[in-house]
Amino acid sequence: MAGLVVCAALVAGYLAFVHDGDSQFTPPESARHTADARTRAALATDTLDRLSRLLTRGSAAQLHAFTADDAPRSRRLVDALFHNVRALRMRELDLRYVDEDTAAVARSARRWSADVEVSWRLAGVDARANDLEVRFTFARRGDRAVLVDTAGAGDGVPLWLLTRLAVERHPRSLVMATDPADADTYAALAEEAVTDVAQVLPDWDGSLVVEVPGSQKQLDELLGASPEAYQGIAAITSTVDGSSDPQAPTHIFVNPDVFADLGTAGAQIVLSHEATHVATGAATSAMEMWLLEGFADYVALAHVNLPVSVTASQILGDVRREGPPEHLPSAAEFDPSNSALGAEYEAAWLACRLLAQTYGEQQLIRLYEVVDAGTPLPRALHEVLGTDQETFTAQWRDYLRRLAGETG
């Protein structure tokens, strides 16, 4: 606020300023800490510059010069990074020192943690570089800083910076997994997902990147999420940097704790659903959730030979007990904590299925594209389909009643 001067008294110590004209005096202790911080930053910056070059153009032996002998994790981590960068065909790798964690410095004179801006692009799949701030731990060894560990800094962390990965690459898909046994399985699912999407959206010529962490806890770290955020969710499609930028690379992140319990058909439906989100840029879309999620399920289920009594068992069971919902599923009803989440997805899928059966698949796709481009849904329903939301909602409720009776 202009003209406001705030003066703070520090109980744990004091900072004295002696003014002589425009000069300012800094106490020797504060000056020493500032100088130490600058030295740490300079050493770490030099190490990061070297790591950036050696990870892409050097050798493992050269990288070992930047590991801590007294930290076994350090050597394993650097070896893993060396492997991952090459297996993922990484380009534009850049590591930039941002700022140190002063609390960590205060706790240990030998090590310090700092935020590092990591920039990278996966050749052949990412249209542009990804950027994330990641927490690096360094230690000083003589005239250089060595890398001790990496971790998320709150907003997420790339999987390739945490552990050695098994990488499976196909013409239109890339899978990275912490467990080598998973790589082939997810690669097959990803390739089939590309085929499923292409059958409904033949103009899509993109590719999929599927990241498979070792646990839900690690997934939370990748996405910078709270432990409850994705509990019960099998997979998530998100921009890698967590932004809403439509140009940001988008990957599929698997929750292995949930995905492992899916059968073969269920696993394929989930991955084809997420692949549809990638193909349509759903991670950054602001459209109504029932259309966004229902369309993804429509594509995933379009060529699945399962009866509606199986694919919509939860919502049809609800309709038989309580009657159809009063309204199409809202954004709040797609909250991962909703105990009836499965029924909401099924209700949204049946809405899109009804649209395709009534107006044709191409009109459903057109509606989705028009709403995604920014046209409000009520206007799009009128302009594309010649109907309105109230009329369609009534048709959908009747459709649910009819299906519930037929499969009851």
Side-chain angles (χ1 to χ4, degrees):
M1 184 180 294
L4 178 64
V5 178
V6 178
C7 180
L10 303 180
V11 177
Y14 65 90
L15 201 60
F17 295 90
V18 178
H19 294 280
D20 179 12
D22 291 331
S23 65
Q24 179 173 295
F25 170 74
T26 304
E29 185 70 10
S30 178
R32 183 178 67 78
H33 287 310
T34 300
D36 288 347
R38 288 174 178 166
T39 298
R40 288 190 292 270
L43 292 175
T45 296
D46 180 67
T47 291
L48 292 171
D49 288 343
R50 292 171 184 265
L51 286 174
S52 297
R53 292 195 302 271
L54 294 174
L55 283 170
T56 54
R57 298 187 294 275
S59 67
Q62 289 173 305
L63 284 164
H64 290 167
F66 298 92
T67 61
D69 295 335
D70 59 346
R73 160 75 175 160
S74 175
R75 176 67 66 88
R76 291 196 304 271
L77 175 62
V78 168
D79 285 342
L81 299 186
F82 183 74
H83 163 81
N84 293 344
V85 166
R86 282 159 170 72
L88 292 168
R89 300 179 193 171
M90 203 167 290
R91 304 290 184 268
E92 301 172 37
L93 177 61
D94 184 57
L95 307 173
R96 187 177 68 83
Y97 193 89
V98 178
D99 195 16
E100 70 178 24
D101 178 355
T102 54
V105 173
R107 291 193 298 269
S108 173
R110 299 177 63 248
R111 296 184 180 183
W112 77 99
S113 296
D115 289 340
V116 173
E117 185 178 300
V118 181
S119 180
W120 78 99
R121 180 176 65 84
L122 304 184
V125 289
D126 287 342
R128 74 169 204 193
N130 303 279
D131 293 287
L132 272 177
E133 278 197 10
V134 178
R135 184 64 52 85
F136 279 50
T137 300
F138 301 95
R140 184 168 180 174
R141 295 293 182 268
D143 61 350
R144 69 175 52 184
V146 294
L147 178 62
V148 177
D149 206 351
T150 57
D155 294 328
V157 59
L159 185 60
W160 64 267
L161 261 175
L162 295 177
T163 187
R164 184 184 176 96
L165 300 175
V167 177
E168 188 76 24
R169 185 185 291 267
H170 290 273
R172 294 187 64 181
S173 66
L174 171 67
V175 171
M176 60 181 91
T178 58
D179 186 345
D182 289 337
D184 287 343
T185 300
Y186 282 96
L189 292 170
E191 282 297 284
E192 180 59 34
V194 170
T195 299
D196 288 347
V197 173
Q199 290 186 78
V200 180
L201 302 171
D203 292 338
W204 177 60
D205 61 357
S207 56
L208 303 179
V209 179
V210 182
E211 303 197 24
V212 189
S215 64
Q216 181 178 312
K217 181 179 180 182
Q218 193 171 59
L219 173 69
D220 294 337
E221 187 177 10
L222 298 188
L223 299 175
S226 65
E228 300 82 19
Y230 298 112
Q231 189 172 2
I233 300 297
I236 304 98
T237 298
S238 174
T239 54
V240 178
D241 62 6
S243 75
S244 57
D245 183 349
Q247 303 304 315
T250 300
H251 295 181
I252 298 170
F253 299 86
V254 171
N255 183 347
D257 293 359
V258 177
F259 210 96
D261 293 332
L262 300 175
T264 303
Q268 188 61 66
I269 290 168
V270 167
L271 209 61
S272 295
H273 173 109
E274 300 302 329
T276 305
H277 283 334
V278 173
T280 58
T284 59
S285 177
M287 75 167 64
E288 282 78 356
M289 288 293 289
W290 73 261
L291 181 57
L292 184 142
E293 297 295 355
F295 183 77
D297 265 351
Y298 173 82
V299 174
L301 290 163
H303 300 91
V304 172
N305 188 25
L306 288 172
V308 71
S309 60
V310 173
T311 52
S313 61
Q314 296 178 65
I315 185 60
L316 297 184
D318 289 348
V319 172
R320 283 191 286 271
R321 288 188 298 271
E322 305 167 7
E326 293 296 325
H327 57 80
L328 290 155
S330 66
E333 287 160 323
F334 283 101
D335 189 294
S337 64
N338 182 3
S339 60
L341 187 61
E344 304 298 347
Y345 272 88
E346 293 171 0
W349 166 58
L350 289 176
C352 288
R353 185 175 186 254
L354 174 61
L355 288 171
Q357 290 177 348
T358 305
Y359 301 98
E361 183 175 275
Q362 291 306 308
Q363 287 298 88
L364 168 61
I365 294 170
R366 177 63 180 154
L367 176 71
Y368 187 95
E369 291 172 342
V370 168
V371 175
D372 191 39
T375 301
L377 179 61
R379 181 177 152 195
L381 285 167
H382 174 71
E383 293 181 353
V384 177
L385 305 180
T387 188
D388 57 66
Q389 190 157 331
E390 182 178 355
T391 299
F392 173 65
T393 299
Q395 293 170 338
W396 168 73
R397 297 181 75 237
D398 288 342
Y399 185 58
L400 293 178
R401 287 192 194 94
R402 185 168 71 253
L403 289 174
E406 291 173 356
T407 61

